[in-house]
Amino acid sequence: MTGVLLPLPFIVMDTRKQTLKEDLARALQEARERTRWLLESVSDEDLYAQHDEIMSPLIWDYGHIANYEELWLLKEAFGKELSEQALFEIYDATITPRSERPSLEMLDRASADRYLDTIREQVLKELQKADLESGDALLKDGFVYNMVIQHEAQHNETMLQTLQLKKGRGYEPPEQRQLPAGNPPEEEMVFVPGGRFVMGTDDEELALDNEGPAYEVHLPGFYIDTTPVTNGSYLEFVEDGGYEKRELWDPVGWDWIRENGISAPKHWYQKEPHDWWTERFGFDEPLDAGAPVVHVSWYEADAYTRWAGKRLPTEAEWEKAASWDPKTETKRLLYPWGEEQPTPEKANLDQLAFRPAQVGAYPAGASAYGVLGMIGDVWEWTASDFAAYPGFESFPYREYSEVFFGPDYKVLRGGSWATRPCAIRNTFRNWDYPIRRQLFVGFRCAR
Ligand SMILES: [Fe+2]
């Protein structure tokens, strides 16, 4: 009966291939459901308006999601395209800066709905035929599908930033997840001993080009805050006149806060002197002293650290504290707690809470060194400029990372409550200008 046994390995391989395709199809579907869920309660007026010149109108993001999918999962992967060149130009982020996007002839809501569905239908057909074990780096192990799924998730977060900047009637999501209570740790800082660790990753399935290649880094020992800086701590800096003390500020940051009249994080205001409130998605709430500060620029984070007698961690310090397991001398590639997928007990990710949790709310999400809240809640500014790792090769397109390398951008790590789990990991790098505050971004200090 050897004839029955022999074909088995082929059956197993086929099953594996089929499972990967099913997983990718399911993830594509799930990403789309979330995009539509987020926009469900947004009026047409708010969808078409530009709420801030640093953001696109939401309707651009919506159409762009489908166009990026057409570009990568039909055109680049299989040489097929359904749309005219003009549509590719309208939705090419590198052609029209965000400030000018309202002037584009974008698809309206109904046409965009149809466009998303048409592209998706074709994409799923091609996926069935695709060879995901080919030598083609784009298709191998489904990389390009994961890239497109992450792209949709990233635009979900961008859309939430836009909704947070929106004026007028507040944004009311269809539902909101309850968060666990905060539990601030006893130790304010954790010591990470000096020595080697592996920075970055060689993963070719999920990781984007700037996350690799992996390389060995030797760092001196350092202290890092156990949790992100809270509103309560940041308020002490504000009330201590932190925004008036020139010596605390980077000279460029000092000029920027003076010219723009900035004296507190974005969305903070006082009802009475010293009675601080914040605005979240158009609704007022008292400042929560136990939650991480959010919507601060790199310059504000940097000034705070100086006031506190500390500094921002470098990107390498952040990644070591998040990912290195000193007992086994191995790296946790995906999350501070290990390779298991995030759950609501481990981290505040995936948008549904619509706010950061209070610090210390996720002891189960601690890194090997005992550092808390590194993934989720708020992005964290690092001291580092966005630069290529040694041996970097851009893939699959220069405009994803390479054109942004240099001193203009600072690196952010860890994702926020608005980041979907597929779009964050210990090695994931985000970047923005040091004056930017629309991100769900805070920081922690090092010493
Ligand atoms: Fe995009």
Side-chain angles (χ1 to χ4, degrees):
M1 295 298 281
T2 48
V4 175
L5 292 172
L6 272 175
L8 196 60
F10 298 98
I11 295 170
V12 171
M13 271 177 65
D14 274 332
T15 313
R16 198 193 86 80
K17 270 191 268 180
Q18 202 47 41
T19 310
L20 175 57
K21 287 184 179 181
E22 281 164 17
D23 288 349
L24 292 171
R26 204 173 306 119
L28 284 163
Q29 169 70 9
E30 202 269 340
R32 184 57 40 81
E33 278 166 18
R34 177 58 59 80
T35 299
R36 288 186 159 146
W37 184 84
L38 287 171
L39 293 178
E40 189 178 296
S41 61
V42 178
S43 68
D44 285 359
E45 194 188 343
D46 280 336
L47 202 66
Y48 298 139
Q50 185 171 43
H51 300 286
D52 193 295
E53 64 171 16
I54 66 165
M55 308 306 283
S56 314
L58 291 162
I59 193 69
W60 186 90
D61 290 276
Y62 191 48
H64 166 78
I65 285 170
N67 188 251
Y68 189 89
E69 184 167 322
E70 180 176 7
L71 176 67
W72 287 102
L73 300 188
L74 293 182
K75 193 175 174 179
E76 298 289 342
F78 304 106
K80 300 201 170 162
E81 61 200 281
L82 306 179
S83 305
E84 288 175 8
Q85 186 54 29
L87 206 68
F88 286 97
E89 282 165 19
I90 288 168
Y91 291 114
D92 185 336
T94 66
I95 294 180
T96 316
R98 285 180 175 182
S99 59
E100 291 165 29
R101 288 180 192 163
S103 67
L104 294 168
E105 285 191 47
M106 291 171 277
L107 299 174
D108 63 18
R109 191 172 205 156
S111 313
D113 270 337
R114 279 195 300 277
Y115 179 46
L116 269 83
D117 289 340
T118 308
I119 295 302
R120 176 55 58 83
E121 201 182 314
Q122 199 59 38
V123 161
L124 292 176
K125 277 186 197 155
E126 294 297 333
L127 172 61
Q128 279 318 308
K129 294 182 268 169
D131 179 5
L132 302 183
E133 290 176 17
S134 72
D136 178 357
L138 212 49
L139 287 174
K140 191 167 170 287
D141 299 324
F143 167 79
V144 72
Y145 291 92
N146 286 321
M147 181 182 88
V148 168
I149 292 161
Q150 290 180 63
H151 178 259
E152 184 153 353
Q154 287 167 357
H155 275 274
N156 288 172
E157 181 157 1
T158 308
M159 293 187 310
L160 284 163
Q161 292 167 13
T162 306
L163 290 164
Q164 167 72 330
L165 291 167
K166 174 172 111 56
K167 305 280 185 294
R169 199 170 67 86
Y171 172 64
E172 290 182 87
E175 62 175 71
Q176 264 170 272
R177 179 191 283 166
Q178 291 300 309
L179 288 168
N183 184 15
E186 271 168 35
E187 296 296 328
E188 186 182 288
M189 299 189 96
V190 168
F191 183 66
V192 178
R196 72 177 272 272
F197 97 105
V198 178
M199 178 93 170
T201 176
D202 289 325
D203 168 67
E204 292 179 342
E205 219 173 299
L206 279 178
L208 300 166
D209 62 2
N210 64 51
E211 296 172 60
Y215 68 110
E216 199 166 282
V217 172
H218 291 257
L219 291 177
F222 61 94
Y223 282 88
I224 189 161
D225 282 354
T226 316
T227 70
V229 171
T230 61
N231 284 322
S233 300
Y234 198 87
L235 181 57
E236 288 177 37
F237 163 70
V238 173
E239 295 272 344
D240 190 42
Y243 283 75
E244 279 93 55
K245 295 177 179 167
R246 186 179 195 146
E247 67 276 15
L248 298 174
W249 293 77
D250 177 288
V252 178
W254 176 256
D255 290 345
W256 173 74
I257 60 163
R258 293 278 114 183
E259 277 159 28
N260 293 281
I262 288 168
S263 56
K266 195 168 177 72
H267 305 294
W268 279 34
Y269 69 97
Q270 296 175 85
K271 283 202 177 180
E272 304 281 337
H274 313 295
D275 177 22
W276 288 91
W277 287 63
T278 190
E279 197 189 309
R280 197 184 309 282
F281 294 109
F283 297 97
D284 297 329
E285 53 182 74
L287 198 65
D288 179 354
V293 67
V294 61
H295 299 303
V296 284
S297 62
W298 184 90
Y299 290 121
E300 289 164 287
D302 175 62
Y304 174 95
T305 63
R306 215 162 279 122
W307 172 81
K310 299 178 181 176
R311 60 179 174 80
L312 284 173
T314 64
E315 191 183 5
E317 288 171 336
W318 191 97
E319 189 167 315
K320 182 173 182 180
S323 70
W324 194 243
D325 183 341
K327 285 203 192 81
T328 57
E329 294 255 299
T330 55
K331 183 178 180 102
R332 298 177 178 178
L333 275 173
L334 289 181
Y335 306 105
W337 57 85
E339 311 304 325
E340 310 92 60
Q341 284 304 297
T343 60
E345 289 72 44
K346 290 207 174 78
N348 179 15
L349 284 169
D350 213 22
Q351 306 169 342
L352 301 181
F354 290 88
R355 64 178 62 239
Q358 293 190 332
V359 300
Y362 299 97
S367 76
Y369 291 107
V371 186
L372 298 171
M374 299 200 85
I375 292 281
D377 288 313
V378 290
W379 287 97
E380 299 180 22
W381 288 113
T382 70
S384 303
D385 293 343
F386 188 43
Y389 293 165
F392 166 85
E393 280 178 45
S394 96
F395 179 78
Y397 61 112
R398 284 189 69 241
E399 291 76 15
Y400 181 69
S401 320
E402 194 174 354
V403 298
F404 300 101
F405 288 148
D408 291 349
Y409 296 92
K410 296 292 183 190
V411 172
L412 305 116
R413 290 303 201 102
S416 76
W417 62 264
T419 311
R420 303 218 61 199
C422 68
I424 196 64
R425 49 203 161 259
N426 285 337
T427 56
F428 190 91
R429 311 169 75 198
N430 191 1
W431 64 94
D432 211 336
Y433 292 119
I435 59 168
R436 284 293 161 84
R437 312 201 292 173
Q438 87 286 4
L439 299 144
F440 302 104
V441 59
F443 61 100
R444 74 178 73 218
C445 310
R447 185 152 45 83

